[in-house]
């Protein structure tokens, strides 16, 4: 008879839980997955080094069909009760959108039924009474509101598998399932909100494929607003549609296909003849998927919305990272509330998106403003108007050459200390600014530009040479271009997997535009060493990280009432011009004597006309201005992704004191933990920035002293001081000569590199230990591996004895 109490958790799974589930009819190969890691583990940045946090891992996930999860089981060893794992299982079930939740210790199961309405939400069942797949599928259908055979057929349609190991991530799976199930239940307007870099196109492909294969949707239109997005989609995930798919080009329509990819602009136009979409009958398409739907299709009076109105009987699915909710534009008014949202913060926490470092560089003229000296003339000899120019003016209507040069110089200095071939996007105010920034960067990097002039390229809408290099910039295998200067062209739809640096030298007033720009850096590419990215902010644009809307739900502010004229948001008014924000594109537009309507309905006086959009804005160009860096500092963010407003030390103290009630409590944990690295990882996961603290306190101190000093006001000792204290106590006399030399070398290693490096036996393979013999020979000097590890443990206790 096996004593269950002596078995490990894994043994309990193998001997009791798995057989019980299989006995109830679950197929071990296709329906029963064990030890399922569903996140990658958050990436922590330590200086130039990175480390992965823990993955979220479920002991069992049960699938009715592949990628349709319906139950989760959390296992514990038999020393725990049958209920012990239920809270963790419920947490995972909520994340994974799973209705049936089980906990087990091998004696039986506690079943938590998230569909229960009769009070029997939790029941204990015997080890031999686990529910069948069909029983739990009925629970799932109830949970999802699937009530008809037709809806069930659509909801249970298989995913597409391409023969490789590729499968949807958990959030893509939820997005696909919720969308398909919503359509199965008759919903015809759907929006999915997924952060940039989380695979919206792959998600769209799986949705379309399942609806198409089930016969629910026979003819499908995928709409985008840029050729690059259409080409990316056709060559990428959608390639599996093969000869069933076509791209609408040159306004030519062939009605023999089932899947159509098209540009909005390619289907619509300014006159009746140009509206190519009308060659289709209004009922031709069953399904329309609108990529980046926060752009034109969100606006009621756009020509893009006309296409959707024409095909109003089709189901419409909107995809976006940044839903538009402003006075003029609304996604939720058209599509309804999102069926699923996967945010940038979630993506970073799960380890699917790259985290960011932010370095803020404040220039004197930006912070203090610039007022020209009396009689100051511009480069053409014209006297400059006497007023104070500020950050909003620079590069939009006043250009200070020295400012551009200093931005280029600071970026170059950063890259020289980081990686001169790190792909970098510099976001500028406009095309003129991007052009001048390219010149300034070429001057600062003359050595690399001499090797290849494509080291820095202007990639803007009006520059054909630059646009031709866009594919090379985003291709990880292409070395050049390295630095791209741009204004609007690269804010969205650019899949720059290896972009490691984003430079903000533009005034960004639109949260939508800000999110899109940040999204250029969030993709991870481990093969090319892209695990995080750095934002160099010259315009305080990263203040938007602190905005509650940055990672929150979009707020509906448009009053749904009487018909009203389109109104642009006025952001600056001067004597003869008004600057407005076009929130559809995030672009600032200057109107001269234009009739602008304020958001509240009131308007400016006078008979106004809009400036010719093709005409270049008149700018003042000046030089001979003293421009310098006032402050350069790294911004830090807490574990929730929000900027830390208190001091780094106070923030750390708060976190540590939440974990350890007193200094003695911390000391006990430190001395009893086998590997100190575990404490470091635990604190980092809760938001302690260890590397930043070292910079703020002293790089020569131990992590132990760092924490004691910051949280408990203990005077810190350096590692060398701690090592010297051990040597003074003649602690090594109880060991033989060779063992003594090894311990002294470990002590020196600690003084140089810290505690974590002496805890691993691998340290015995490097200098100077290799001079004492092989690791096995060194361990034998202590009598055994256990005695060697005990000696290291005692050495650690001696190191911290003075605390």
């Amino acid at each position: 008879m096996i004593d269950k109490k002596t078995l490990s958790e894994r043994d309990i799974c193998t001997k009791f839980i798995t057989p019980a589930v299989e006995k109830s009819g679950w197929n071990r190969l296709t329906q029963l997955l064990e030890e399922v890691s569903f996140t990658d583990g958050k990436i922590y940045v330590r200086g130039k080094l990175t480390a992965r946090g823990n993955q979220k891992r479920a002991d069992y996930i049960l699938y009715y069909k592949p990628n349709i999860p319906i139950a989760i089981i959390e296992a514990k060893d038999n020393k725990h009760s049958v209920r012990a794992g239920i809270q963790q299982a419920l947490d995972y079930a909520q994340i994974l959108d799973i209705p049936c939740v089980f906990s087990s210790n091998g004696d039986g199961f506690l079943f938590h039924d998230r569909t229960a309405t009769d009070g029997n939400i939790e029941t204990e069942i015997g080890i031999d009474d686990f529910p069948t797949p069909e029983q739990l599928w009925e629970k799932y259908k109830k949970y999802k509101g699937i009530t008809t055979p037709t809806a069930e057929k659509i909801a249970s349609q298989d995913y597409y598998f391409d023969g490789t190991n590729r499968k949807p991530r958990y959030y893509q799976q939820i997005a696909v399932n919720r969308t398909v199930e919503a359509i199965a239940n008759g919903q015809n307007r759907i929006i999915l909100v997924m952060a940039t870099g989380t695979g919206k196109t792959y998600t769209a492909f799986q949705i379309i494929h399942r609806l198409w294969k089930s016969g629910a949707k026979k003819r499908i239109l995928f709409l985008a607003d840029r050729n690059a997005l259409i080409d990316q989609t056709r060559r990428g995930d959608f390639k599996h549609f093969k000869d069933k798919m076509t791209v609408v080009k040159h306004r030519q329509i062939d009605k023999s296909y089932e899947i159509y990819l098209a540009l909005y602009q390619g289907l619509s136009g300014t006159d009746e003849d140009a509206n190519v979409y009308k060659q289709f009958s209004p009922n031709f398409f069953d399904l329309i998927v609108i990529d980046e739907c926060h752009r034109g299709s969100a606006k009621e009076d756009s020509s893009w919305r006309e296409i959707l109105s024409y095909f109003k009987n089709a189901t419409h699915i909107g995809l976006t990272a940044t839903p538009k909710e402003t006075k003029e534009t609304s996604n939720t008014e058209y599509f309804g509330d999102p069926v699923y949202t996967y945010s940038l913060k979630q993506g970073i926490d799960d380890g699917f998106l790259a985290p960011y470092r932010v370095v803020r560089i404040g220039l004197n003229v930006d912070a203090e403003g610039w007022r020209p000296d009396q009689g100051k003339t511009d480069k053409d000899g014209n006297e400059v108007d006497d007023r104070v120019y500020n950050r909003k003016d620079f590069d939009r209507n006043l250009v200070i050459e020295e400012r551009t040069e200093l931005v280029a110089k600071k970026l170059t200095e950063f890259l020289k200390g980081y990686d001169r071939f790190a792909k970098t996007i510099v976001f500028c105010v406009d095309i003129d600014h991007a052009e001048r920034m390219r010149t300034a960067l070429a001057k600062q990097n003359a050595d690399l530009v001499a090797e290849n002039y494509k080291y820095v390229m202007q990639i803007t809408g009006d520059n054909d040479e630059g646009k031709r290099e866009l594919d090379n910039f985003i291709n990880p295998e292409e070395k050049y271009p390295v630095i791209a200067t741009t204004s609007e062209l690269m804010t969205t739809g650019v899949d720059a997997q290896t972009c490691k640096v984003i430079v903000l030298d533009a005034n960004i007033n639109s949260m939508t535009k800000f999110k899109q720009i940040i999204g250029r850096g969030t993709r991870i590419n481990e093969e090319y060493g892209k695990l995080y990215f750095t934002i160099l902010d010259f315009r305080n644009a990263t203040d938007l990280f602190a905005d509650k809307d940055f990672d929150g739900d979009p707020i509906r502010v448009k009053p749904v009432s009487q018909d009203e004229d389109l109104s642009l948001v006025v952001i600056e008014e001067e004597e003869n011009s008004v600057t407005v924000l076009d929130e559809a594109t995030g672009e600032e537009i200057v109107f001269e004597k234009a009739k602008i309507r304020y958001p509240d309905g009131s308007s400016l006086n006078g008979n106004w006309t809009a400036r010719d959009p093709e005409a270049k804005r008149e700018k003042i160009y000046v030089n001979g201005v003293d421009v310098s860096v006032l402050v350069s500092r790294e911004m830090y963010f807490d574990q929730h992704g929000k900027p830390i407003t208190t001091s780094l030390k106070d923030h750390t103290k708060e976190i540590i004191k939440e974990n350890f009630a007193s200094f003695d409590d911390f000391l006990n944990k430190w001395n009893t933990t086998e590997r100190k690295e575990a404490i470091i990882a635990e604190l980092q996961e809760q938001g302690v920035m260890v590397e930043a603290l070292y910079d703020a306190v002293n790089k020569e101190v131990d992590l132990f002293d760092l924490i004691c000093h910051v949280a408990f006001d203990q005077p810190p000792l350096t590692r060398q001081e701690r090592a010297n204290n051990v040597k003074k106590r003649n602690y090594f006399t109880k060991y033989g000569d060779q063992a003594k030399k090894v311990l002294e070398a470990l002590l020196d290693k600690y003084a140089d590199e810290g505690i974590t490096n002496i805890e691993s036996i691998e340290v015995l393979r490097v200098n100077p230990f290799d001079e004492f013999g092989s690791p096995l020979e060194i361990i034998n000097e202590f009598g055994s591996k256990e005695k060697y590890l005990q000696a290291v443990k005692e050495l650690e206790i001696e190191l911290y004895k003075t605390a």
Side-chain angles (χ1 to χ4, degrees):
M1 184 73 178
I2 299 173
D3 180 3
K4 283 187 183 178
K5 304 290 184 194
T6 65
L7 297 178
S8 67
E9 181 183 298
R10 188 84 312 256
D11 287 336
I12 291 291
C13 291
T14 304
K15 296 179 186 299
F16 298 98
I17 299 175
T18 302
V21 175
E22 284 189 277
K23 184 182 170 187
S24 293
W26 294 84
N27 186 311
R28 188 168 187 172
L29 296 177
T30 61
Q31 294 182 302
L32 177 61
L33 265 65
E34 296 186 55
E35 297 189 290
V36 186
S37 294
F38 57 89
T39 70
D40 278 359
K42 185 175 181 177
I43 297 169
Y44 294 93
V45 183
R46 305 173 181 173
K48 288 186 181 180
L49 303 176
T50 56
R52 285 272 190 186
N54 293 329
Q55 298 175 319
K56 286 188 171 72
R57 183 185 63 80
D59 290 323
Y60 294 85
I61 298 180
L62 275 52
Y63 297 81
Y64 185 67
K65 281 192 163 187
N67 292 301
I68 304 178
I70 61 174
I72 190 168
I73 306 172
E74 187 62 29
K76 296 293 180 186
D77 63 39
N78 201 249
K79 295 187 186 76
H80 291 82
S81 75
V82 73
R83 301 176 298 279
I86 198 68
Q87 289 194 163
Q88 186 175 353
L90 282 167
D91 183 38
Y92 288 173
Q94 186 166 11
I95 294 169
L96 297 170
D97 202 23
I98 292 174
C100 301
V101 189
F102 297 85
S103 171
S104 180
N105 65 351
D107 289 340
F109 297 92
L110 180 70
F111 176 25
H112 182 107
D113 182 0
R114 296 178 71 198
T115 71
T117 55
D118 57 1
N120 293 322
I121 197 163
E122 286 189 354
T123 53
E124 284 195 31
I125 55 179
I127 194 70
D128 294 323
D129 299 322
F130 193 82
T132 65
E134 288 70 28
Q135 288 172 323
L136 294 190
W137 176 242
E138 291 302 315
K139 298 278 187 189
Y140 182 86
K141 287 193 293 182
K142 181 181 177 183
Y143 179 67
K144 295 289 190 173
I146 299 165
T147 56
T148 67
T150 302
E152 181 175 359
K153 180 189 173 190
I154 297 168
S156 61
Q157 174 62 44
D158 289 336
Y159 275 67
Y160 178 83
F161 291 97
D162 61 5
T164 70
N165 290 326
R166 186 182 188 189
K167 59 182 181 180
R169 292 169 173 169
Y170 84 87
Y171 62 85
Q172 294 169 336
Q173 189 176 266
I174 295 171
V176 172
N177 290 342
R178 284 196 184 178
T179 303
V180 169
E181 288 154 2
I183 291 169
N185 288 331
Q187 190 171 326
N188 279 321
R189 297 292 180 268
I190 292 164
I191 187 169
L192 281 174
V193 179
M194 295 170 67
T196 301
T198 55
K200 288 191 291 294
T201 309
Y202 177 64
T203 302
F205 165 72
Q206 289 287 5
I207 291 167
I208 292 169
H209 193 274
R210 290 180 68 198
L211 292 169
W212 179 60
K213 275 293 183 182
S214 69
K217 304 295 176 186
K218 295 180 175 62
R219 286 194 291 254
I220 294 123
L221 173 62
F222 181 89
L223 275 175
D225 71 333
R226 295 196 177 179
N227 274 316
L229 295 175
I230 292 290
D231 292 340
Q232 236 169 255
T233 302
R234 178 182 56 81
R235 294 195 310 263
D237 298 311
F238 278 51
K239 65 178 179 287
H240 304 296
F241 287 124
K242 298 177 182 173
D243 59 354
K244 304 293 184 185
M245 175 178 67
T246 186
V247 176
V248 178
K249 288 181 179 177
H250 312 302
R251 302 187 177 272
Q252 299 298 312
I253 299 299
D254 183 339
K255 299 177 185 176
S256 63
Y257 292 91
E258 296 174 56
I259 315 291
Y260 292 77
L261 309 182
L263 284 174
Y264 289 108
Q265 302 92 318
L267 293 183
S268 62
T270 55
D271 55 57
E272 198 65 26
D273 292 336
N275 286 330
V276 177
Y277 65 86
K278 291 187 177 178
Q279 293 181 38
F280 296 106
S281 68
N283 293 318
F284 185 84
F285 293 111
D286 305 305
L287 173 66
I288 300 178
V289 177
I290 305 99
D291 195 23
E292 306 289 1
C293 69
H294 65 278
R295 295 174 70 84
S297 63
K299 296 175 70 172
E300 285 181 29
D301 64 347
S302 71
S303 59
W304 300 354
R305 181 68 74 84
E306 289 175 16
I307 299 172
L308 302 186
S309 299
Y310 182 77
F311 298 115
K312 63 180 183 293
N313 295 330
T315 297
H316 298 172
I317 302 173
L319 305 174
T320 183
T322 49
K324 288 294 297 178
E325 297 302 322
T326 71
K327 190 171 177 66
E328 295 78 37
T329 306
S330 170
N331 284 128
T332 55
E333 186 177 285
Y334 184 78
F335 291 103
D337 291 328
V339 295
Y340 185 59
T341 297
Y342 188 71
S343 69
L344 174 65
K345 178 182 178 298
Q346 287 172 286
I348 291 174
D349 285 347
D350 288 342
F352 295 127
L353 294 180
Y356 44 82
R357 296 172 58 217
V358 177
V359 178
R360 299 262 296 245
I361 302 168
L363 306 182
N364 61 335
V365 292
D366 290 0
E368 301 163 355
W370 176 74
R371 182 180 180 184
D373 296 333
Q374 187 174 1
K376 174 72 176 177
T377 58
D378 64 15
K379 292 180 70 177
D380 293 328
N382 302 311
E383 190 166 330
V384 180
D385 287 346
D386 181 18
R387 70 175 183 85
V388 176
Y389 297 87
N390 58 34
R391 191 187 292 120
K392 286 184 180 179
D393 295 302
F394 299 142
D395 298 296
R396 190 181 65 179
N397 46 39
L398 180 118
V399 173
I400 299 176
E401 283 190 356
E402 287 81 4
R403 189 190 178 284
T404 308
E405 289 165 4
L406 185 58
V407 170
K409 181 183 177 187
K410 298 311 292 182
L411 169 57
T412 302
E413 285 176 5
F414 173 80
L415 291 176
K416 283 180 176 176
Y418 173 59
D419 173 7
R420 292 191 76 185
F421 284 89
K423 296 274 178 138
T424 300
I425 306 176
V426 185
F427 287 96
C428 301
V429 169
D430 57 18
I431 289 172
D432 167 68
H433 186 202
E435 188 179 288
R436 289 183 291 100
M437 186 60 71
R438 191 213 69 81
T439 301
L441 284 164
K443 180 179 172 184
Q444 290 289 333
N445 296 276
D447 55 337
L448 295 182
V449 173
E451 288 178 21
N452 190 317
Y453 74 92
K454 292 181 181 179
Y455 177 77
V456 54
M457 294 286 290
Q458 173 192 344
I459 302 180
T460 52
D462 72 327
N463 190 292
D464 291 338
E465 293 82 3
K467 281 195 290 187
R468 281 196 292 269
E469 291 298 325
L470 182 56
D471 283 346
N472 289 331
F473 180 82
I474 66 179
N475 184 350
E477 295 180 4
E478 292 292 339
K479 189 174 184 178
Y480 299 101
V482 175
I483 303 174
T485 66
T486 191
S487 57
E488 293 290 334
L489 183 65
M490 297 176 73
T491 56
T492 185
V494 177
D495 189 9
Q497 297 175 26
T498 53
C499 175
K500 294 183 178 180
V501 183
I502 286 177
V503 181
L504 303 177
D505 196 25
N507 300 312
I508 302 168
N509 301 293
S510 160
M511 181 62 79
T512 298
K513 183 176 178 181
F514 181 65
K515 285 184 180 181
Q516 289 290 339
I517 287 173
I518 298 307
R520 297 314 103 212
T522 54
R523 285 168 173 80
I524 290 171
N525 190 317
E526 299 202 36
E527 182 185 348
Y528 288 89
K530 163 66 187 304
L531 287 164
Y532 70 96
F533 66 106
T534 303
I535 302 167
L536 297 185
D537 180 12
F538 289 89
R539 302 261 181 164
N540 286 2
T542 49
D543 282 345
L544 289 168
F545 279 127
D547 192 305
K548 66 185 186 309
D549 293 339
F550 176 72
D551 208 60
D553 294 327
I555 297 170
R556 187 80 189 93
V557 297
K558 179 177 178 180
V560 183
S561 56
Q562 80 248 16
D563 294 335
E564 55 184 55
D565 294 332
L566 175 70
S567 58
L568 299 168
V569 178
V570 177
I571 58 175
E572 186 175 2
E573 183 181 342
E574 295 176 13
E575 186 178 352
N576 294 312
S577 68
V578 178
T579 303
V580 299
L581 179 68
D582 178 353
E583 296 223 42
T585 64
E587 184 182 4
E588 290 180 20
I589 307 166
V590 178
F591 288 89
E592 290 178 343
K593 295 188 176 179
K595 186 174 182 180
I596 305 297
R597 186 175 294 279
Y598 279 115
D600 66 2
S602 62
S603 60
L604 300 174
N605 296 323
N607 186 21
W608 301 60
T609 55
R611 170 188 286 166
D612 178 1
E614 298 299 317
K616 284 197 172 183
R617 184 187 295 139
E618 289 297 321
K619 293 185 183 181
I620 303 165
Y621 294 82
V622 298
N623 56 17
V625 178
D626 175 31
V627 182
S628 60
V629 175
L630 276 184
V631 62
S632 179
R633 66 181 181 87
E634 183 164 352
M635 281 179 71
Y636 297 107
F637 298 82
D638 64 19
Q639 65 270 40
H640 307 298
K642 291 298 180 186
I644 296 169
T645 51
T646 59
S647 75
L648 190 61
K649 288 184 182 180
D650 288 344
H651 173 73
T652 305
K653 185 174 187 175
E654 199 176 299
I655 293 173
I656 292 169
K657 290 211 162 182
E658 283 176 7
N659 286 271
F660 306 106
S662 66
F663 173 65
D664 289 339
D665 187 24
F666 169 68
L667 193 60
N668 182 55
K669 175 74 179 281
W670 184 268
N671 285 329
T672 55
T673 300
E674 285 297 316
R675 292 178 67 84
K676 307 300 181 275
E677 205 165 26
I679 297 178
I680 299 171
E682 192 177 318
L683 290 172
Q684 282 183 318
E685 286 197 4
Q686 293 175 50
V688 172
M689 279 147 287
V690 175
E691 289 299 319
L693 274 179
Y694 276 130
D695 290 338
V697 181
N698 185 347
K699 283 186 177 291
E700 301 303 315
V701 303
D702 189 283
L703 176 66
F704 173 85
D705 283 281
L706 200 64
I707 291 170
C708 292
H709 172 64
V710 169
F712 305 109
D713 300 318
Q714 299 289 318
L717 294 177
T718 66
R719 293 190 300 272
Q720 191 63 60
E721 287 170 332
R722 286 199 174 277
N724 289 342
N725 286 342
V726 175
K727 289 176 182 177
K728 287 175 191 172
R729 289 196 291 270
N730 292 321
Y731 163 69
F732 301 121
T733 52
K734 64 178 182 176
Y735 294 101
D737 287 344
Q738 196 69 359
K740 182 180 175 183
K741 287 179 182 176
V742 171
L743 290 172
E744 285 175 341
L746 283 172
L747 200 55
D748 291 337
K749 195 80 173 168
Y750 160 80
D752 287 340
E753 300 176 11
I755 193 70
T756 57
N757 287 316
I758 72 168
E759 292 185 318
S760 170
I761 286 178
E762 291 301 307
V763 76
L764 300 180
R765 298 184 186 278
V766 301
N767 188 51
F769 301 98
D770 52 359
E771 296 173 8
F772 304 143
S774 68
L776 184 60
E777 289 170 331
I778 293 171
I779 287 169
N780 287 338
E781 289 292 332
F782 291 84
S784 67
K785 181 180 177 181
E786 288 70 27
K787 287 182 178 178
Y788 167 77
L789 293 174
Q790 182 60 35
V792 174
K793 184 70 180 170
E794 288 175 6
L795 175 61
E796 289 182 359
I797 292 169
E798 284 296 316
L799 276 167
Y800 301 112
K801 202 176 247 184
T802 57

